[in-house]
Amino acid sequence: AESGGGGAQGAAHAGGEESAAPKRAEQTEDGGADDAVCVVCADTPELWAVGACNHRVCAFCAHRMRYLYADKQCVMCKSELAHIVVTPSRHADYAELVPDGDSASAHLPSDKQLGMLYSDRRYAERFKRLRGFECSQCVNSALPDESEVAAVGSHASLAKLRAHVRDAHSLTLCDICVKFRKAYFREQFLFAPSSSTLEHGRVQGSVDSNTSNAEHIKKHIREAHPICKFCRMNFYDSDALYEHLQREHFSCFICERHGILYQYYQDYRRLEQHYRAEHFMCQEPACRGVVFDTALDLQIHHKQNHEGAQPSSSRRQANRIRVNLADLHDPSATSSRRNDISSEERERRRRGFDSSDVVYAGTGDSARTSRETQQPASLQQEHRGHAAQTRGVSERQLPAAASTASGNLSEVQDRTNSVAVGFRILGVPGNDAELRERNRILLDKMRSACDAADFERFRGVSGDFRAGALPAEAYLKEAIAIFGRRDVGSIMSELAALLPDEHTRNAL
């Protein structure tokens, strides 16, 4: 399926008389199809292409594969064919056409770039035209003969073709389609500023007559070519957008292991902000980007890698740690220490990708209202309730289980046992500009963590809290119900810091 929308399909092959689709295979008297059909297009070809393996396909299909897809393999046996011969005979033998092998091919007209030989010079000219800058409107018009088609429809360059389409037809080409769509120029879609149906051209869309050409193109690009909202760049299809996001932007491997897929961060700085707010990140300068799903994993990391840098008194204090038994039994705990996935899982994610699923974290302009809408209810509960499951469980002292700097350990323990994972006291803004910027970022984060109805609900309870009509504890419970325990800590930490009234800030 093409990304161009609902445009009329033109001929599959050459223009004029040659552009008419090959005849369909006729049924024989016993109901079976004639065997003289191409295995690719299932049509009865006028011209055949045969290689050294003597498997035959439609010459136009062979040309399309070689020119547009750079594929020189036989579609039947997958042999690499350096040369193929175009001939009208479906019974032709390659050895008879090229009796002395490729060395004897000099006497045949050829396209050296594609490795195509032609039994007649007329065929060579015919296929050469397929590669030209031809206007689909002119090529597919009912013109008297093919020589006039060649004179009117062909142009010396892409720039001249664009100018012709604009001046002669008041139409335009899509730059993205021209660059990435696997089609000859004569098959490219043309776009009109008004609702019009052309008998032979590929005119797209149905818009008001007062809409400008540029607006029409924008409408096509918006609907057919997904955009990266970080780069403000359009891509041909979802596959191209996925490759760009994977190559140029960042995702959280821990969230992906919890089933939260296709959530991206514009750069590594923003990903680190997510790590600090949502997970357990090592704060040592030498361990930038080292992050864990549980406090226990982080403490073990400190024990194994950073213990020697601490005074002995700090190590003794750090050895008295709290261990959440739920962490020990968490099936994802072991795998989360490794940032690798199987090739099968990587392919599954690529195939499951759709541009409408993408969350552009921090932009406030996500394709999904909430990053959790794609998760099953059980997965959402597991991901949100991880901290709640660990509260109230048995605590044991492990004298040599792990250690860290006392300041980092205190932060880890506070985060683990807080009612809201990630809740911590943040500094208040130093000036109005900082207040506005932090408030904007906070609003974006809130909108990405809940749907529109819940966001309005939270605005209402926030007003009640600031007016003194709602206690801080009840306010926090409402926030947990709306955002979930995994998000509410970072949200409420920043919200508390931005509250203008010191009394309400301290209460929260």
Side-chain angles (χ1 to χ4, degrees), residues 66-78:
R66 286 174 172 253
Y67 178 57
L68 298 179
Y69 294 89
D71 183 358
K72 294 185 177 182
Q73 288 186 337
C74 170
V75 298
M76 301 173 71
C77 67
K78 301 304 179 184

Side-chain angles (χ1 to χ4, degrees), residues 176-246:
I176 300 174
C177 290
V178 167
K179 185 174 182 179
F180 296 106
R181 182 170 174 257
K182 301 296 185 182
Y184 301 114
F185 282 102
R186 63 171 58 190
E187 297 174 336
Q188 289 292 350
F189 296 126
L190 301 181
F191 299 89
S194 60
S195 177
S196 59
T197 302
L198 300 186
E199 184 177 355
H200 300 286
R202 295 157 175 77
V203 177
Q204 291 291 303
S206 176
V207 296
D208 296 335
S209 58
N210 60 354
T211 304
S212 72
N213 208 18
E215 289 172 335
H216 185 56
I217 280 294
K218 290 179 181 178
K219 179 177 182 293
H220 159 72
I221 292 175
R222 183 173 63 250
E223 295 178 352
H225 304 304
I227 187 173
C228 171
K229 295 180 181 178
F230 293 137
C231 303
R232 312 308 299 178
M233 180 187 302
N234 291 89
F235 294 84
Y236 180 68
D237 55 17
S238 289
D239 286 343
L241 174 62
Y242 180 73
E243 292 178 5
H244 166 79
L245 290 170
Q246 290 291 109

Side-chain angles (χ1 to χ4, degrees), residues 57 63 186 229 295 340 399:
V57 296
H63 187 274
R186 63 171 58 190
K229 295 180 181 178
D340 56 356

Side-chain angles (χ1 to χ4, degrees), residues 453-465:
D454 280 339
F455 180 75
E456 292 301 320
R457 172 186 163 196
F458 183 70
R459 290 182 64 180
V461 297
S462 296
D464 293 341
F465 170 68

Side-chain angles (χ1 to χ4, degrees), residues 91 110 294 354 389 393 404 456 461:
H91 300 293
S110 65
T294 68
D354 187 273
Q389 295 170 8
V393 299
T404 182
E456 292 301 320
V461 297

Side-chain angles (χ1 to χ4, degrees), residues 267-278:
D267 50 40
Y268 194 73
R269 178 179 64 83
R270 289 175 173 83
L271 178 61
E272 279 190 317
Q273 292 173 351
H274 164 78
Y275 282 160
R276 292 189 181 95
E278 306 295 337

